[in-house]
Amino acid sequence: LPGGMQGSSRALWRNPVEGPAEQLPLDAGAYEEGIAVSGDGETILLTTTNLADGMWSVSKATLSPPRMRSFIKDSGRDVFHPVCASNGTSGAAMTHTSWPSRQTSLISFDTSGGGQPHTLAEGDFMQLKPLAIRGDEVVFSRSDAGETRGTLEAISTEAGSDARVLIEERTEYI
């Protein structure tokens, strides 16, 4: 990516179906690879790096008016790989820490900023990577730490819900 790994000078661009690419009217920043856009194009969730401590968080941007703000951060944990509902009203992301042990969480949140994110699933030595939001469920892949292949699962955003396996065969979901 332009700006280098965890670089502080990356710009965001829109590539229309027809016509040339155009830079979005947002300041350059330390943007990582994870970006999600709502179906209506009004809400953008992206992984950003805090240059002071190197931790990842999720920022929220809008284009009308053009603005961006830090949105989801968790002290001592990286928050990354956001996904956004097609209507832009909710989101999900993965959190990770390696101290005192390697633990990953799948979280969901209201993109209007109302309320705190809540944990849907947790696991030690595994990845819980959100892929999509479908109604009141988050679709995600569950894989062992360091592995790219996992199962495809879904979990309701309602508190106390259990994940259900959609496809048990381990494969790479993107």
Side-chain angles (χ1 to χ4, degrees):
L1 291 173
M5 290 303 291
Q6 296 188 348
S8 61
S9 59
R10 293 186 183 145
L12 297 174
W13 292 76
R14 176 179 15 216
N15 293 295
V17 174
E18 295 182 19
E22 57 190 43
Q23 186 173 344
L24 296 179
L26 301 167
D27 292 337
Y31 309 131
E32 297 300 324
E33 295 85 355
I35 186 169
V37 180
S38 64
D40 61 8
E42 294 297 316
T43 303
I44 302 169
L45 299 175
L46 59 151
T47 304
T48 54
T49 301
N50 178 332
L51 296 176
D53 63 12
M55 299 297 289
W56 289 342
S57 62
V58 171
S59 291
K60 178 184 173 185
T62 58
L63 298 178
S64 293
R67 64 180 169 207
M68 183 180 319
R69 65 183 172 94
S70 180
F71 191 68
I72 303 288
K73 54 181 146 181
D74 189 344
S75 179
R77 296 179 78 93
D78 284 314
V79 183
F80 59 107
H81 215 305
V83 295
C84 189
S86 62
N87 63 7
T89 61
S90 62
M94 177 168 49
T95 73
H96 175 267
T97 186
S98 56
W99 179 258
S101 66
R102 183 179 174 99
Q103 186 184 54
T104 302
S105 298
L106 177 66
I107 62 169
S108 68
F109 47 88
D110 178 350
T111 59
S112 70
Q116 294 293 315
H118 63 280
T119 302
L120 301 176
E122 292 182 304
D124 294 331
F125 301 102
M126 68 174 55
Q127 300 270 54
L128 302 170
K129 178 180 167 186
L131 302 170
I133 296 175
R134 186 183 67 190
D136 68 345
E137 287 187 317
V138 175
V139 178
F140 67 100
S141 67
R142 181 188 305 260
S143 60
D144 295 331
E147 294 292 321
T148 57
R149 298 174 354 136
T151 58
L152 184 66
E153 301 184 25
I155 190 167
S156 171
T157 56
E158 296 298 318
S161 297
D162 291 325
R164 59 188 174 85
V165 176
L166 301 174
I167 301 176
E168 192 170 328
E169 180 182 350
R170 291 182 161 281
T171 191
E172 189 168 337
Y173 296 98
I174 54 172

